[in-house]
C-alpha cells in the first residue's frame, strides 16, 4: 500500500503451471488470518484469489471485497451466488484446463474469439446470479492454458476485449513468456514486465496485477500519462 498499490490480492494456493491443488482447509488456514489482520489496517480493497466458494465466503466475511476466480466461475458453480450475496466484485479469468494440465500443448481454433466467448459466458453467469454489472472485471488469463504465441497475440489484441464492456485486468508479472523471450530468470523480469504493463495499458487494460509494486506503479503512471496526454 505504501508503494502505491490500489488493490491487495491474497491467495493461498499456487496456480502456476503444474501446481497441485490445495485443500480448502489448508487454503483457509493460509489466507484468513492475513485478511483479518490486514483489512482493518488498510483503506484499499482486498481481493481473495480463489476458485473455492468456502474460501471466498470466509474471506469476504473477514474483510475482502473482491473475488479473483481463475476459473471464471466454472470450477465451483456456486461462486457467483457467494459473490452476489456478499455484494462483492468479481474478476472472471479465462483458463483452458486446470493449473495442473493447462500448459500441456494448449491449442485454439480461433484464440481471441474462444477467450471472448468464455469471458462473455462468465459475465452472464455472474450477472444472472445477481452480481451488479459494475462489479464485474474480466481477465484474458495470460499464461493460463496458453503458449508463447497465444500470450503475445492476446496482448497485441487486448483492445478487442473492450467489446465486453467491462474493466480489463491483466496478470503478466514475471511470467514464463517474458523469460522465453528475454532469457531472464523469474527474479529478473521486471524490465520485461514493465514493457507488458505499458503496452497493456495503451491497449486498454484498466488493472494490472504485479509482484513488484514500486516499479510497477512507475510503469503504470508513465503509461497512463502518455495515454491521457492531449492530442
Amino acid at each position: 500500500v505504501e508503494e502505491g498499490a490500489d488493490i491487495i490480492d491474497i491467495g493461498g494456493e499456487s496456480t502456476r503451471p503444474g501446481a497441485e491443488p490445495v485443500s480448502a482447509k489448508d487454503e483457509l488456514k493460509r489466507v484468513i488470518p492475513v485478511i483479518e489482520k490486514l483489512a482493518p489496517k488498510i483503506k484499499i480493497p482486498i481481493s481473495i484469489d480463489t476458485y473455492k466458494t468456502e474460501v471466498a465466503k470466509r474471506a469476504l466475511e473477514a474483510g475482502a471485497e473482491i473475488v479473483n476466480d481463475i476459473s471464471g466461475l466454472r470450477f465451483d458453480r456456486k461462486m457467483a451466488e457467494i459473490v452476489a450475496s456478499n455484494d462483492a466484485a468479481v474478476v472472471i479469468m479465462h483458463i483452458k484446463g486446470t493449473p495442473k494440465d493447462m500448459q500441456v500443448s494448449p491449442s485454439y481454433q480461433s484464440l481471441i474469439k474462444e477467450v471472448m466467448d468464455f469471458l462473455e459466458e462468465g459475465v452472464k453467469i455472474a450477472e444472472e446470479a445477481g452480481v451488479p454489472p459494475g462489479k464485474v472485471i474480466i481477465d484474458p488469463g495470460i499464461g493460463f492454458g496458453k503458449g508463447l504465441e497465444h500470450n503475445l497475440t492476446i496482448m497485441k489484441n487486448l483492445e478487442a476485449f473492450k467489446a465486453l464492456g467491462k474493466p480489463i485486468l491483466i496478470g503478466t508479472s514475471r511470467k514464463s513468456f517474458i523469460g522465453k523471450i528475454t532469457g531472464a530468470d523469474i527474479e529478473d523480469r521486471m524490465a520485461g514486465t514493465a514493457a507488458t504493463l505499458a503496452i497493456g495499458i495503451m491497449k486498454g487494460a484498466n488493472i494490472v496485477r504485479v509482484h513488484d509494486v514500486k516499479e510497477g506503479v512507475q510503469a503504470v503512471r508513465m503509461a497512463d500519462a502518455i495515454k491521457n496526454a492531449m492530442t
Side-chain angles (χ1 to χ4, degrees):
V1 175
E2 289 171 357
E3 290 184 353
D6 295 309
I7 300 169
I8 297 292
D9 189 49
I10 296 172
E13 174 176 343
S14 173
T15 51
R16 287 189 183 91
E20 294 288 342
V22 170
S23 71
K25 183 181 177 182
D26 284 344
E27 201 174 332
L28 286 165
K29 206 182 296 182
R30 294 173 180 180
V31 300
I32 300 304
V34 177
I35 295 171
E36 286 176 342
K37 287 184 179 180
L38 195 58
K41 295 181 179 180
I42 64 173
K43 294 180 180 179
I44 64 171
I46 292 173
S47 163
I48 176 66
D49 183 348
T50 189
Y51 54 81
K52 301 183 183 77
T53 53
E54 184 182 352
V55 177
K57 183 173 184 295
R58 291 278 300 279
L60 293 169
E61 290 169 354
E65 298 175 48
I66 305 166
V67 174
N68 181 13
D69 185 349
I70 65 156
S71 80
L73 303 176
R74 305 312 207 278
F75 291 174
D76 193 330
R77 288 293 180 155
K78 293 181 181 177
M79 182 65 88
E81 295 171 28
I82 293 295
V83 173
S85 62
N86 285 274
D87 196 30
V90 65
V91 178
I92 294 169
M93 195 194 82
H94 174 272
I95 187 172
K96 189 163 190 175
T98 67
K100 191 170 182 180
D101 64 17
M102 64 188 180
Q103 291 307 103
V104 181
S105 302
S107 63
Y108 297 84
Q109 294 295 317
S110 178
L111 174 67
I112 301 299
K113 184 181 185 303
E114 288 176 48
V115 176
M116 285 266 286
D117 288 349
F118 180 97
L119 293 174
E120 187 172 22
E121 177 66 20
V123 169
K124 187 178 176 185
I125 291 168
E127 293 182 357
E128 286 183 351
V131 180
K135 289 194 171 187
V136 180
I137 299 157
I138 56 170
D139 177 351
I142 297 291
F144 285 82
K146 288 136 189 121
L148 174 60
E149 289 301 324
H150 298 140
N151 292 321
L152 297 176
T153 300
I154 287 171
M155 289 295 298
K156 185 176 180 180
N157 295 280
L158 197 63
E159 63 268 280
F161 297 97
K162 295 174 84 170
L164 296 176
K166 303 296 180 188
I168 299 168
L169 183 153
I170 58 168
T172 57
S173 182
R174 302 186 187 178
K175 287 196 171 167
S176 62
F177 82 111
I178 297 172
K180 286 176 183 173
I181 291 169
T182 64
D185 291 334
I186 193 165
E187 298 297 331
D188 191 30
R189 293 178 186 164
M190 187 58 239
T193 296
T196 66
L197 301 180
I199 291 167
I201 288 165
M202 296 298 288
K203 290 281 189 177
N206 305 96
I207 305 168
V208 294
R209 186 176 182 271
V210 301
H211 299 91
D212 308 283
V213 177
K214 185 179 177 182
E215 295 85 352
V217 166
Q218 275 197 26
V220 165
R221 286 180 179 165
M222 287 308 303
D224 278 343
I226 294 166
K227 186 175 183 179
N228 298 325
M230 294 174 66
T231 53

